[in-house]
Amino acid sequence: MIKVNVLRKKNDGKKNVKQWRTVHLFGKSRRPKESAVVVDQTDSPSGYFKSTGSVSTKTILTEEKFPDNTIVTSKLSLRNSPVSPVTSVAPLLFVVTITAIKQAYEDWLRHISDNKVNNRSIQVVRDGYITGVPSRNIAVGDVVKVSNEQELPCDLVLLSSSEVDGSCYIMTMNLDGETNLKPRVALSDTSPWHSCEDICSSTLDINIDCQLPTADLYKFDGRMNIYSDSAAPLCRSLSSDNLLLRGSRLRNTDYVFGIAVYTGVDTKVALNQQQKKHKFSSVEKALNKFLAVFMVLLVVQVVFCGIASIIWQNAELPIYMGFSRATEASGIINIFLSFLVLFNYIIPISLYVTIELQKFFGAMFIGWDVKMYDPNTDEIAKANTSDLNEELGQVEYLFSDKTGTLTQNDMQFRQCSIYGKRYKEIDGKLQLLLDQNFESSESPSDQMQQFLIALAVCHTVKTEIVESTGKILYQASSPDEKALVEAASRFNVCFRDCVDNTMEVLINNKLQRFKLLHVLDFDSDRKRMSVIVKNPSGNIIMICKGAESSVLSRANDGAVSVTNNDVDYYARHGLRTLVIAFRRLSAEEYEVIDDKLHEAKTAIGDRDAKLASAYDFVERNLTIIGATAVEDKLQENVSETLEALREAGIKVWVLTGDKQETAINISNSCGHFGHGMEIMKVNANNNVECSSLLQDVKVRIDGSPGGSRFALVIDGMSLSFALSSCKDLLLSVTKHCEAVLCCRMSPLQKAKIVRMVKENGHNPITLAIGDGANDCSMIQEAHVGVGIMGKEGRQATQCSDYAIAKFKFLKRLLLVHGHWYYIRIATLVQYFFYKNAAFITPIFYFAFFSGFSAQSMYDSIFLMFFNLAFTSLPILIYGIFEQDFNERHLLQNPSLYKILTKNKYMTMKEFAVWVLLGYWHSLVFFFGVYFLFAGQEGVLLADGKTFDLWCFGTMIYTMTVIVTNLKLALQTEYWIWANHFAIWISIIGYYLFTLFYCGIYWPSFRNGSSDLYWIFLKLVATPAVWFKTILLIVASLLPDYILRIYSTEKVKVMNLMLEKAARNKLLGDRLSESSSLNRNGRNRNYASSEQRNPLISADNGILDMNDSHHSYV
């Protein structure tokens, strides 16, 4: 049972200002009912709970049910055809069934993934024993045991750990993208509970009052009420330092015990994830518009023919035709329904089945692409949905996570500066690069040892020894700290362990102990951290490290100016820097400092302010030792990928939960911030300040000369203000920035940014890419979501639309697969409307010649098989294999991607061209056959008879089958054996089928009718039919051939390629001329029978500038 106390503070009808839930140990109170605390729910001046402290014979606590710990991401969704005419029930049911099976299969895969998470065995204390239960069965109030390296199953308040002081370390990589370890601590009252027996035998009874679930990862307000038999109740405050969040992983701690406070959808990580929703591509939206147009055409045709039929039947008719019933209601309805049944085939219902098959095979090709296979992780690309394949070719905005997406989460020490001397690690040793002649009283060897000892002592790193090898593994709250401690270890200053506040350091194979007196933790305001230690000689030293802006200004001695120059040098090369300093403390100074720190750390009120004041007092009068330069290793080819995407017209935003300084360094090193960009920062504390800063940035951009390049950096707090008060101003600023970097963002803020860009009025197509659970919201919000199979689990890949092993594969996924899929689906959709218009419109023309009697020219079997058999296979093969450009050209010319954006191949103009061609073909089919065959009485069949109705209809149908297949052949750029097979087998198969069908009398199947009996055999036996068929084919396809040659977009593409070729040739000539001058200057002569532009490949293909430059130089 879960007890929840809800307090309300009423103030003239205003909303409640605070709400709480009370969580009892094991879900119920162990105190007798008569000693229960009565909650006074009456109004009180303070608005908080009030305990009467008296005995009550009844309880007024209300029970509230909370959600279980199950996470559900699967959601079945079906897509139906917009029309359902009675005569098309069977095809419609087939389309819906195929779609439902496909969607259910994808949902079933997500359901399997959910079950793996929800059925994970978790240790829970129940009935005095530790029992393994599925994760879904964890309830609020359960005491959960989590072991080292395990992922936390729900949000827990830490009760105790394997450490004596109740501390532990967690990695929140899945939540905020940070790989550093974060400390958490239990209250001293529960920290002695190291086992199940300790918890169950304890005389203490606790319950927790905590705020209702919120999405804020960094805030938790609560209190623990502790009751004992011998003492008065105690109330301890709880904060985020006591909370273990679901999705984080326990590190460097054998085990912890925690009480579940939020489970299932109430957990913070779940609240930061949006419910997966069905996404519709821009092609599907255009398809709906096209269907609406054809529905209007269908209605117009039906109404027109129906009215014309009524008028014709009401006219004076011959007596042998009987009396007209067109004036009766049933007759009128029958007329309109007859034309509706006849013309409804203009709606391409089979289009949906073809699209589903095309997308299904397209998704499989993504997984089969060996060039997107990563042998290191043995991972292939994966399409979790096939509905968005074509959307990969429409992306205009890319939103990327940083940690694990652009980087490898692998910090490496590269260089350092020690008293003005620059060193670089070469083959495991520090090699001197530059000596700036800084005068120091210490020898270079002593200076280096002092520097390395500072690296090995000033940190909060934890060690773990591998039993099999004896190797020391370091786990740190900062990746920089870990890299620096590892570097010191490689240079024979090895940190071994910290036991009882004594740091053991192996210096040149001699063990020395440093007494750890105080740790001044890092915070984002100070941008530094310090330790106070007593060295083996008994001297007290404070060692400090941090950003140069926060350390150099506090120094009064040491290599200040030269270190500042070195830091600037490292920053220009994209390295992360920290400045190292120290201060010697006398016994008297330390005593004063110790008192100040102790007073601040034990303060009840304004603790943060007092700690900041104490730290400021201690961290001054520093002596600068030097600086470090660490590289955050990027993923392979990140810079090349970003450059290609930028050339393709895609704007790249980096959204990260990391610190601003770190994020800026990575943006510089990966090429997100290009050379010459002016970086503008917005860091505001309120709405007014945020609006003012953004306005200043806008004025700066508007007043800049042409050609200026800008990059915007904004933090999460400022972003919250901007989204709430000046969203339009923010959008206006970002539109003029080549790069945007958003720092310290929560998962929901990432999704809000994506939504803001999506809904900015221009409706750009967005893509979000990330690798952790903190990226799921933006992945689901974007039009296309891509997950990286990285080190942060599989949450991102599970909720994404596509999953790849490395960021570099995004280039191929968009520029190659995205380009091809869009071209294929755009042609496929419009081809269906074209061929149905060409197929059915002759029946509309025939209505004028048949007295609007709803008589069909086509046999019923032809109506059924046109889309099903005779024209279905070629367009499916086209939709699977077509390539307008080969992959080499697409990768070397990313600007080709621009020609597809804004759905340019599926505009109403392009659609009108296809439909008009369909009507042109229908005119040629109908009136060409009419005037060349049926209208000429002298033209006879082989048996001496003239054309009849079924000869006329079959001839038109034959023309339609041949021309619609040849029309697709004209559209095809990439010919393989499958295209030839599909087109020619469809045409030949039609002839063979029709010869067979018309050559047999079908009494049972056709109810004794002999309409087509021997008709087709008469046609193929007539030479005039063959000659005039060829004539009409040429006449109908002539406009298609002309448009094919003078296609506007193709001309643009060719111009683009020619311009690039000209630029490459000019550059190549200049390089050749320069080389010639150099050779002449050296008095060397080179002869060649053929001069070749170095930027043109052996097969005369135009090479990419970067690739060409690389190979040439």
Side-chain angles (χ1 to χ4, degrees):
M1 180 183 297
I2 303 165
K3 300 294 186 180
V4 180
N5 292 342
V6 181
L7 73 158
R8 296 178 173 86
K9 180 178 180 180
K10 297 183 179 179
N11 186 9
D12 299 329
K14 294 183 179 179
K15 295 183 178 179
N16 304 339
V17 297
K18 196 71 174 180
Q19 290 183 317
W20 300 84
R21 65 163 53 170
T22 299
V23 180
H24 289 283
L25 188 65
F26 301 118
K28 61 183 179 180
S29 176
R30 295 192 287 182
R31 294 176 289 115
K33 290 185 178 180
E34 61 270 18
S35 63
V37 175
V38 176
V39 179
D40 185 1
Q41 293 184 344
T42 60
D43 294 347
S44 62
S46 64
Y48 292 99
F49 285 107
K50 293 198 300 185
S51 174
T52 63
S54 60
V55 177
S56 174
T57 58
K58 63 178 182 180
T59 178
I60 60 173
L61 295 177
T62 60
E63 294 184 3
E64 181 178 332
K65 291 185 177 181
F66 296 93
D68 60 20
N69 200 41
T70 302
I71 293 293
V72 177
T73 60
S74 63
K75 180 180 181 182
L76 182 63
S77 62
L78 300 176
R79 178 158 54 86
N80 297 308
S81 173
V83 294
S84 56
V86 176
T87 56
S88 300
V89 169
L92 178 62
L93 289 178
F94 177 72
V95 170
V96 173
T97 302
I98 294 296
T99 304
I101 292 174
K102 172 181 169 291
Q103 296 286 350
Y105 173 73
E106 294 177 353
D107 189 78
W108 176 67
L109 295 179
R110 289 191 290 268
H111 181 67
I112 292 176
S113 177
D114 290 343
N115 282 338
K116 290 181 180 179
V117 176
N118 294 327
N119 293 328
R120 188 161 48 101
S121 180
I122 304 298
Q123 292 183 311
V124 177
V125 178
R126 289 186 178 173
D127 300 326
Y129 298 96
I130 295 180
T131 306
V133 300
S135 176
R136 67 170 73 240
N137 293 337
I138 297 177
V140 172
D142 278 343
V143 175
V144 180
K145 181 181 180 181
V146 181
S147 300
N148 190 33
E149 297 295 335
Q150 282 188 346
E151 189 174 289
L152 295 163
C154 59
D155 292 350
L156 306 170
V157 168
L158 181 61
L159 296 177
S160 62
S161 72
S162 57
E163 303 296 325
V164 177
D165 59 355
S167 63
C168 70
Y169 289 87
I170 59 173
M171 180 180 287
T172 59
M173 194 187 311
N174 282 339
L175 305 178
D176 54 19
E178 295 186 4
T179 58
N180 53 309
L181 299 184
K182 294 181 173 59
R184 294 293 183 265
V185 63
L187 297 180
S188 58
D189 303 271
T190 61
S191 59
W193 294 354
H194 295 293
S195 65
C196 175
E197 291 76 14
D198 293 338
I199 299 174
C200 296
S201 62
S202 175
T203 59
L204 297 180
D205 181 28
I206 66 172
N207 62 44
I208 296 173
D209 294 330
C210 57
Q211 64 185 144
L212 292 181
T214 63
D216 193 338
L217 296 174
Y218 308 104
K219 185 178 180 181
F220 176 71
D221 292 329
R223 64 187 179 208
M224 181 181 291
N225 302 308
I226 304 172
Y227 305 91
S228 64
D229 298 335
S230 58
L234 299 176
C235 181
R236 306 291 190 193
S237 63
L238 297 172
S239 67
S240 58
D241 290 336
N242 311 112
L243 186 66
L244 308 177
L245 297 179
R246 177 175 187 157
S248 55
R249 189 175 296 275
L250 186 66
R251 301 295 294 270
N252 285 9
T253 310
D254 292 338
Y255 62 85
V256 296
F257 285 98
I259 180 171
V261 289
Y262 302 128
T263 57
V265 295
D266 278 350
T267 57
K268 290 184 180 291
V269 66
L271 292 174
N272 274 279
Q273 294 179 0
Q274 297 181 337
Q275 181 66 34
K276 189 173 180 66
K277 54 186 178 183
H278 185 76
K279 298 179 181 180
F280 293 92
S281 69
S282 55
V283 169
E284 287 180 304
K285 295 175 183 177
L287 172 59
N288 291 335
K289 294 180 182 178
F290 299 162
L291 280 173
V293 171
F294 264 52
M295 285 294 295
V296 172
L297 289 176
L298 174 62
V299 172
V300 170
Q301 288 180 348
V302 170
V303 171
F304 176 83
C305 290
I307 294 174
S309 178
I310 294 173
I311 294 174
W312 191 87
Q313 291 187 45
N314 286 333
E316 185 176 352
L317 301 177
I319 191 65
Y320 65 83
M321 297 191 68
F323 295 99
S324 172
R325 298 184 58 193
T327 56
E328 299 179 8
S330 59
I332 294 175
I333 295 174
N334 182 66
I335 289 172
F336 283 98
L337 288 179
S338 297
F339 280 109
L340 181 63
V341 169
L342 188 61
F343 295 148
N344 86 91
Y345 290 95
I346 199 173
I347 304 298
I349 297 177
S350 59
L351 168 63
Y352 284 95
V353 175
T354 306
I355 289 178
E356 292 297 336
L357 291 174
Q358 187 264 353
K359 290 185 174 183
F360 175 77
F361 286 111
M364 295 179 67
F365 276 111
I366 291 178
W368 291 341
D369 191 345
V370 295
K371 295 183 179 179
M372 291 198 295
Y373 166 73
D374 182 24
N376 297 327
T377 60
D378 194 29
E379 297 283 2
I380 61 173
K382 180 182 179 183
N384 294 325
T385 179
S386 58
D387 293 336
L388 303 173
N389 292 345
E390 63 275 11
E391 209 76 339
L392 294 171
Q394 296 287 291
V395 176
E396 298 173 65
Y397 282 85
L398 170 65
F399 299 91
S400 175
D401 178 40
K402 180 188 72 67
T403 308
T405 303
L406 300 179
T407 67
Q408 298 183 17
N409 290 337
D410 185 12
M411 300 288 186
Q412 296 292 333
F413 176 88
R414 295 303 182 204
Q415 299 186 41
C416 65
S417 170
I418 305 175
Y419 286 106
K421 298 180 176 64
R422 292 182 191 169
Y423 294 87
K424 182 177 182 180
E425 182 179 4
I426 301 176
D427 297 330
K429 295 181 180 180
L430 284 179
Q431 301 289 343
L432 180 64
L433 296 180
L434 177 65
D435 189 347
Q436 302 178 70
N437 297 321
F438 175 78
E439 295 183 1
S440 175
S441 59
E442 301 183 25
S443 64
S445 59
D446 292 338
Q447 291 174 355
M448 183 178 294
Q449 187 176 85
Q450 182 187 27
F451 178 81
L452 295 176
I453 290 175
L455 298 186
V457 173
C458 184
H459 58 76
T460 57
V461 172
K462 299 293 181 180
T463 60
E464 179 180 349
I465 299 178
V466 180
E467 296 180 358
S468 59
T469 62
K471 184 179 179 181
I472 299 177
L473 297 180
Y474 296 111
Q475 299 290 344
S477 59
S478 166
D480 298 88
E481 281 193 340
K482 180 182 178 183
L484 296 180
V485 174
E486 289 176 341
S489 177
R490 292 196 297 271
F491 306 139
N492 296 323
V493 181
C494 179
F495 170 68
R496 303 283 298 178
D497 200 358
C498 183
V499 181
D500 295 334
N501 290 329
T502 299
M503 306 183 76
E504 299 178 351
V505 181
L506 198 63
I507 304 175
N508 295 326
N509 296 323
K510 293 182 180 180
L511 184 64
Q512 297 190 23
R513 292 180 172 85
F514 294 79
K515 181 66 175 179
L516 182 62
L517 303 177
H518 286 284
V519 176
L520 283 62
D521 292 319
F522 175 88
D523 62 67
S524 57
D525 294 329
R526 291 166 45 244
K527 299 180 183 179
R528 59 183 180 270
M529 68 89 59
S530 303
V531 295
I532 301 177
V533 297
K534 179 182 289 187
N535 65 15
S537 302
N539 298 322
I540 300 176
I541 303 174
M542 183 193 70
I543 304 174
C544 177
K545 68 179 179 185
E548 77 283 356
S549 59
S550 62
V551 176
L552 292 176
S553 60
R554 293 180 167 270
N556 58 6
D557 194 8
V560 178
S561 60
V562 292
T563 300
N564 189 37
N565 294 334
D566 291 340
V567 167
D568 292 340
Y569 171 80
Y570 295 143
R572 288 195 300 270
H573 288 76
L575 299 176
R576 299 160 58 94
T577 59
L578 289 174
V579 174
I580 311 298
F582 76 97
R583 175 186 176 185
R584 292 187 175 91
L585 301 175
S586 65
E588 293 77 12
E589 287 176 325
Y590 173 72
E591 186 175 350
V592 175
I593 291 174
D594 183 59
D595 291 340
K596 282 186 172 292
L597 292 175
H598 179 75
E599 180 183 355
K601 290 180 179 179
T602 57
I604 297 178
D606 297 329
R607 180 183 299 177
D608 292 340
K610 292 181 179 180
L611 281 173
S613 176
Y615 292 167
D616 179 72
F617 176 79
V618 176
E619 296 171 327
R620 58 179 59 183
N621 301 325
L622 302 176
T623 300
I624 302 299
I625 305 176
T628 61
V630 175
E631 178 187 12
D632 187 358
K633 196 171 183 180
L634 297 173
Q635 288 209 21
E636 299 176 37
N637 301 327
V638 167
S639 298
E640 292 83 352
T641 302
L642 290 177
E643 180 61 30
L645 296 179
R646 191 178 292 113
E647 187 179 345
I650 300 174
K651 297 181 179 180
V652 181
W653 291 35
V654 175
L655 313 180
T656 177
D658 216 337
K659 302 178 183 67
Q660 182 169 290
E661 294 79 9
T662 303
I664 291 176
N665 286 333
I666 296 301
S667 289
N668 283 321
S669 61
C670 73
H672 180 226
F673 289 166
H675 296 293
M677 281 189 185
E678 181 179 346
I679 300 176
M680 299 172 293
K681 301 179 183 178
V682 176
N683 298 309
N685 296 316
N686 53 61
N687 291 334
V688 177
E689 184 181 1
C690 180
S691 178
S692 176
L693 290 175
L694 286 173
Q695 190 63 44
D696 293 342
V697 171
K698 189 175 187 301
V699 172
R700 175 74 183 88
I701 293 176
D702 294 340
S704 62
S708 300
R709 306 170 66 196
F710 298 96
L712 178 67
V713 179
I714 185 170
D715 65 346
M717 182 179 295
S718 302
L719 197 61
S720 299
F721 298 140
L723 291 175
S724 62
S725 61
C726 49
K727 183 188 296 185
D728 293 337
L729 180 59
L730 176 62
L731 274 172
S732 177
V733 169
T734 56
K735 286 179 181 178
H736 295 87
C737 295
E738 289 192 22
V740 178
L741 173 63
C742 302
C743 315
R744 302 303 291 173
M745 300 187 69
S746 68
L748 279 183
Q749 281 183 320
K750 292 183 178 182
K752 289 180 180 178
I753 281 291
V754 176
R755 188 183 305 118
M756 178 191 73
V757 175
K758 281 174 57 180
E759 300 172 354
N760 68 0
H762 300 287
N763 300 319
I765 303 301
T766 59
L767 182 146
I769 182 170
D771 68 324
N774 59 317
D775 304 315
C776 289
S777 294
M778 73 168 181
I779 287 175
Q780 294 173 358
E781 181 63 41
H783 292 95
V784 182
V786 179
I788 298 287
M789 304 171 189
K791 301 176 182 179
E792 300 188 17
R794 288 293 184 264
Q795 287 87 344
T797 58
Q798 289 172 358
C799 71
S800 65
D801 304 306
Y802 301 90
I804 55 179
K806 291 184 178 179
F807 183 81
K808 68 176 182 179
F809 296 140
L810 185 64
K811 176 181 177 181
R812 183 175 180 83
L813 184 65
L814 297 183
L815 302 188
V816 178
H817 289 283
H819 185 103
W820 287 344
Y821 289 147
Y822 177 75
I823 291 294
R824 294 164 182 170
I825 196 71
T827 304
L828 184 149
V829 168
Q830 294 174 109
Y831 174 79
F832 260 88
F833 287 99
Y834 147 78
K835 69 186 182 76
N836 277 29
F839 171 49
I840 295 299
T841 307
I843 300 180
F844 175 73
Y845 303 150
F846 182 68
F848 290 86
F849 295 84
S850 63
F852 300 98
S853 61
Q855 171 65 44
S856 174
M857 301 185 304
Y858 303 145
D859 186 79
S860 59
I861 202 72
F862 288 164
L863 289 172
M864 182 174 64
F865 276 3
F866 180 77
N867 284 314
L868 183 63
F870 301 144
T871 59
S872 59
L873 185 58
I875 187 59
L876 179 60
I877 297 299
Y878 177 95
I880 295 174
F881 296 106
E882 173 63 1
Q883 300 177 15
D884 59 336
F885 294 99
N886 62 44
E887 63 179 73
R888 181 174 61 86
H889 282 95
L890 292 175
L891 291 174
Q892 293 178 354
N893 299 276
S895 54
L896 292 175
Y897 189 86
K898 295 179 182 179
I899 67 175
L900 308 181
T901 55
K902 297 296 182 183
N903 210 10
K904 288 183 180 178
Y905 280 15
M906 290 194 67
T907 61
M908 293 304 295
K909 178 182 177 181
E910 292 286 333
F911 175 67
V913 171
W914 279 91
V915 174
L916 289 176
L917 287 174
Y919 281 118
W920 163 254
H921 290 173
S922 68
L923 287 170
V924 174
F925 299 159
F926 184 85
F927 292 102
V929 174
Y930 179 78
F931 288 113
L932 292 179
F933 290 92
Q936 300 293 329
E937 296 182 358
V939 177
L940 304 177
L941 297 175
D943 59 358
K945 297 181 180 179
T946 58
F947 263 45
D948 60 8
L949 170 63
W950 298 111
C951 286
F952 181 67
T954 303
M955 189 64 198
I956 293 176
Y957 187 87
T958 302
M959 292 286 302
T960 305
V961 171
I962 296 174
V963 170
T964 52
N965 280 291
L966 293 181
K967 161 69 174 174
L968 186 62
L970 281 177
Q971 290 293 128
T972 303
E973 296 275 1
Y974 182 65
W975 282 91
I976 57 176
W977 68 268
N979 298 89
H980 287 283
F981 174 82
I983 291 176
W984 305 123
I985 200 64
S986 295
I987 296 175
I988 296 173
Y990 161 72
Y991 273 89
L992 295 177
F993 172 82
T994 308
L995 286 171
F996 171 75
Y997 178 69
C998 296
I1000 299 177
Y1001 187 77
W1002 305 90
S1004 59
F1005 177 70
R1006 297 184 46 78
N1007 297 321
S1009 174
S1010 58
D1011 293 339
L1012 287 187
Y1013 181 66
W1014 217 249
I1015 288 294
F1016 197 67
L1017 282 82
K1018 296 178 183 179
L1019 289 175
V1020 297
T1022 304
V1025 170
W1026 291 97
F1027 173 75
K1028 293 182 178 181
T1029 296
I1030 296 174
L1031 182 64
L1032 291 177
I1033 289 174
V1034 173
S1036 61
L1037 289 177
L1038 184 61
D1040 301 83
Y1041 185 72
I1042 296 174
L1043 287 175
R1044 184 71 179 83
I1045 295 177
Y1046 296 100
S1047 173
T1048 303
E1049 288 298 333
K1050 287 295 180 183
V1051 171
K1052 290 181 180 179
V1053 171
M1054 294 306 298
N1055 288 338
L1056 179 67
M1057 297 182 67
L1058 289 175
E1059 289 176 5
K1060 186 168 184 178
R1063 291 196 304 269
N1064 289 346
K1065 186 177 186 303
L1066 178 62
L1067 179 59
D1069 292 340
R1070 289 178 178 177
L1071 290 173
S1072 300
E1073 181 180 356
S1074 175
S1075 301
S1076 176
L1077 291 174
N1078 291 335
R1079 287 194 298 268
N1080 292 336
R1082 293 191 298 266
N1083 296 321
R1084 295 181 180 179
N1085 295 319
Y1086 293 89
S1088 175
S1089 59
E1090 179 183 2
Q1091 294 184 355
R1092 177 176 293 276
N1093 189 331
L1095 300 184
I1096 303 296
S1097 62
D1099 60 353
N1100 292 322
I1102 301 172
L1103 298 180
D1104 182 74
M1105 295 287 291
N1106 293 330
D1107 293 340
S1108 303
H1109 176 73
H1110 177 74
S1111 61
Y1112 180 75
V1113 174

